[in-house]
């Protein structure tokens, strides 16, 4: 059974529309060539190191950038539910419980101190955005990547988007945690050209501790996905592993992930993604707890050691990407 915040299909999904919280153009880190990456909202995992916490909830969310606030009070005037108040000392505060996410305060704010993360888009909207960058895909062998959050959480929307891209022969990649129903990932496998498949830890208990879910379903889906792609002779898997000091960078774990990767028939390579704490400020802006404390990025030697472990299994391994 799937646990850990798997949401019921929402209105947007039923209508084949989706909720997107960011679009990144000219990306060179989300698959081959130059890509446009669409970030779909909602994730069944809650990884401690997630650098897109605004993508965790499946609904739009209000993000405060207090450092940009000039204290004009237009948010208070524009809000009909009283979610914004100013204290007698002049401090502005926001009550998430009173907020209906109408977005009026974000529109009224003159200094972009309020941002609505997440807006509804149709697959046609997504295609129109992607279409603007087709010359870059053609020049670089790039395409479109669907990331998140967990893009498979909005499977109907994702499939509709993948179909649109396929009609125009645009290369597609799906960046996934692999945590979903087996039929969901296999549906996506019928169309997507590449899966950027995250492996965070090989130990199920540690995986659950740091991400909120066990990795049993993830590892099973990885195997099924690989078998399916190999049988069809179409579609590849790229393993992506965040490298996090003190959490998953021990040689036992790295060797186990390398062995697993080497066993895949459709592996295109492995990317080691060194941990960084640039998402920390987002947690503050969202009023969320950042659990990583003082964890520092891995040293260059540790990254080199990790790459060597994968390369010793004849795997094409690279840092970042
Ligand atoms: S999004 Fe709407 S309800 Fe929420 S604080 Fe802003 S104006 Fe008020
Ligand atoms: S509208 Fe924006 S700048 Fe003005 S007080 Fe509200 S958050 Fe600050």
């Amino acid at each position: 059974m799937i646990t850990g915040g798997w949401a019921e299909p929402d209105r947007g999904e039923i209508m084949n529309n989706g909720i997107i919280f960011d679009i990144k153009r000219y990306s060179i880190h989300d698959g081959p060539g130059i890509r446009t990456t669409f970030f779909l909202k909602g994730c069944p995992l809650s990884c401690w190191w997630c650098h897109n916490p605004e993508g965790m909830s499946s609904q739009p969310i209000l993000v405060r950038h207090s450092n940009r606030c000039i204290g004009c009070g237009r948010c208070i005037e524009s809000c009909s539910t009283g979610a914004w108040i100013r204290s007698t000392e002049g401090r502005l505060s926001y009550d998430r419980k009173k907020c209906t996410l109408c977005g009026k305060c974000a529109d009224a704010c003159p200094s972009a101190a309020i941002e609505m993360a997440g807006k509804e888009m149709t697959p046609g909207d997504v295609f129109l955005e992607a279409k603007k960058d087709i010359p870059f895909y053609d020049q670089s062998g790039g395409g479109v990547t669907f990331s998140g959050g967990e893009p498979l959480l909005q499977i109907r929307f994702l499939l509709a988007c993948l179909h649109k891209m396929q009609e125009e022969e645009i290369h597609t990649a799906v960046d996934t945690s692999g945590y979903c129903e087996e039929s969901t990932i296999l549906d996506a496998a019928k169309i997507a050209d590449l899966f950027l498949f995250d492996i965070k830890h090989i130990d199920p208990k540690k995986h659950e501790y740091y991400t909120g879910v066990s990795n049993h379903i993830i590892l099973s889906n990885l195997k099924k996905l690989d078998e399916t792609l190999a049988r069809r002779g179409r579609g590849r898997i790229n393993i992506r592993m965040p490298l996090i000091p003190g959490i998953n960078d021990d040689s036992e774990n790295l060797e186990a992930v390398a062995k697993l990767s080497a066993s895949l028939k459709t592996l295109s390579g492995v990317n080691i993604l060194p941990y960084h704490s640039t998402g920390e400020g987002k947690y503050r802006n969202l009023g969320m707890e950042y659990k990583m404390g003082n964890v520092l990025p891995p040293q260059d030697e540790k990254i080199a050691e990790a790459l060597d472990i994968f390369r010793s299994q004849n795997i094409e391994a690279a840092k970042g990407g």
Side-chain angles (χ1 to χ4, degrees), residues 274-288:
Y275 164 76
H276 56 78
S277 59
T278 49
E280 187 175 358
K282 291 187 182 179
Y283 284 78
R284 253 195 320 275
N285 292 338
L286 287 163
M288 289 167 72

Side-chain angles (χ1 to χ4, degrees), residues 13 16-24 36-44 50 52-60 117-119 121-123 126 144-162 165 173-175:
E13 188 182 334
N16 271 4
N17 291 355
I19 309 274
I20 300 246
F21 69 92
D22 201 5
I23 302 172
K24 189 164 76 182
T36 309
T37 304
F38 293 87
F39 293 85
L40 277 64
K41 240 180 157 302
C43 185
C50 178
N52 289 329
E54 72 276 34
M56 283 182 183
S57 128
S58 55
Q59 294 304 316
K119 73 167 186 174
M121 290 180 83
T122 66
V126 169
V144 168
T145 297
F146 295 95
S147 184
E150 169 51 69
L152 294 171
L153 198 57
Q154 299 187 49
I155 185 63
R156 290 186 207 184
F157 172 64
L158 176 66
L159 291 176
C161 292
L162 288 171
M165 303 303 159
V174 175
D175 181 7

Side-chain angles (χ1 to χ4, degrees), residues 258-318:
K259 204 167 150 210
L260 171 71
S261 305
S263 74
L264 300 173
K265 302 176 197 79
T266 61
L267 184 76
S268 66
V270 171
N271 286 85
I272 298 288
L273 313 175
Y275 164 76
H276 56 78
S277 59
T278 49
E280 187 175 358
K282 291 187 182 179
Y283 284 78
R284 253 195 320 275
N285 292 338
L286 287 163
M288 289 167 72
E289 182 195 3
Y290 188 61
K291 293 183 179 172
M292 293 299 282
N294 297 325
V295 176
L296 295 171
Q299 307 271 342
D300 287 347
E301 303 81 65
K302 193 73 213 179
I303 298 168
E305 198 184 306
L307 290 170
D308 282 347
I309 289 175
F310 282 89
R311 287 171 184 157
S312 71
Q313 297 272 348
N314 295 321
I315 292 169
E316 213 172 288

Side-chain angles (χ1 to χ4, degrees), residues 3-280:
T3 58
W6 195 262
E8 287 297 313
D10 59 18
R11 188 181 61 87
E13 188 182 334
I14 289 162
M15 292 166 63
N16 271 4
N17 291 355
I19 309 274
I20 300 246
F21 69 92
D22 201 5
I23 302 172
K24 189 164 76 182
R25 296 187 182 281
Y26 318 120
S27 168
I28 51 165
H29 300 295
D30 298 317
I34 297 173
R35 310 191 71 82
T36 309
T37 304
F38 293 87
F39 293 85
L40 277 64
K41 240 180 157 302
C43 185
L45 277 65
S46 46
C47 304
W48 286 23
W49 50 87
C50 178
H51 54 266
N52 289 329
E54 72 276 34
M56 283 182 183
S57 128
S58 55
Q59 294 304 316
I61 191 168
L62 184 147
V63 185
R64 288 183 73 179
H65 301 282
S66 303
N67 56 333
R68 298 182 192 158
C69 176
I70 54 169
C72 68
R74 289 197 200 157
C75 49
I76 303 171
E77 290 159 20
S78 64
C79 181
S80 57
T81 67
W84 289 100
I85 50 166
R86 200 192 294 275
S87 70
T88 43
E89 297 85 43
R91 242 191 53 236
L92 190 68
S93 64
Y94 161 68
D95 185 345
R96 219 167 267 285
K97 290 193 205 86
K98 287 188 180 163
C99 177
T100 59
L101 298 169
C102 71
K104 285 185 187 155
C105 58
D107 291 341
C109 177
S111 60
I114 306 169
E115 179 197 345
M116 299 304 295
K119 73 167 186 174
E120 193 167 316
M121 290 180 83
T122 66
D125 295 333
V126 169
F127 175 67
L128 287 178
E129 288 299 325
K131 204 174 149 192
K132 294 175 190 167
D133 297 336
I134 285 178
F136 298 101
Y137 312 153
D138 290 346
Q139 278 166 26
S140 66
V144 168
T145 297
F146 295 95
S147 184
E150 169 51 69
L152 294 171
L153 198 57
Q154 299 187 49
I155 185 63
R156 290 186 207 184
F157 172 64
L158 176 66
L159 291 176
C161 292
L162 288 171
H163 272 297
K164 284 223 169 273
M165 303 303 159
Q166 191 184 45
E167 278 163 21
E168 298 299 319
E169 298 183 2
I170 295 174
H171 181 274
T172 51
V174 175
D175 181 7
T176 179
S177 67
Y179 189 77
C180 60
E181 301 290 350
E182 185 184 301
S183 59
T184 299
I185 199 161
L186 296 187
D187 278 347
K190 289 176 191 157
I191 321 172
D193 297 301
L194 177 68
F195 284 82
L196 308 174
F197 202 113
D198 300 345
I199 295 292
K200 302 163 202 298
H201 211 298
I202 210 76
D203 180 277
K205 287 219 165 61
K206 287 188 181 155
H207 194 283
E208 183 162 3
Y209 183 73
Y210 289 114
T211 72
V213 302
S214 161
N215 62 6
H216 285 307
I217 288 169
I218 292 168
L219 298 181
S220 163
N221 280 343
L222 176 62
K223 192 162 172 270
K224 282 278 158 41
L225 176 67
D226 183 49
E227 285 166 3
T228 305
L229 297 178
R231 209 169 38 246
R232 287 210 194 105
R234 190 188 156 274
R236 307 294 298 275
I237 297 174
N238 180 276
I239 295 291
R240 288 155 74 92
M241 183 182 170
L243 188 70
I244 312 160
I247 291 183
N248 69 354
D249 65 339
D250 56 286
S251 50
E252 192 189 342
N253 185 53
L254 289 164
E255 277 160 19
V257 178
K259 204 167 150 210
L260 171 71
S261 305
S263 74
L264 300 173
K265 302 176 197 79
T266 61
L267 184 76
S268 66
V270 171
N271 286 85
I272 298 288
L273 313 175
Y275 164 76
H276 56 78
S277 59
T278 49
E280 187 175 358

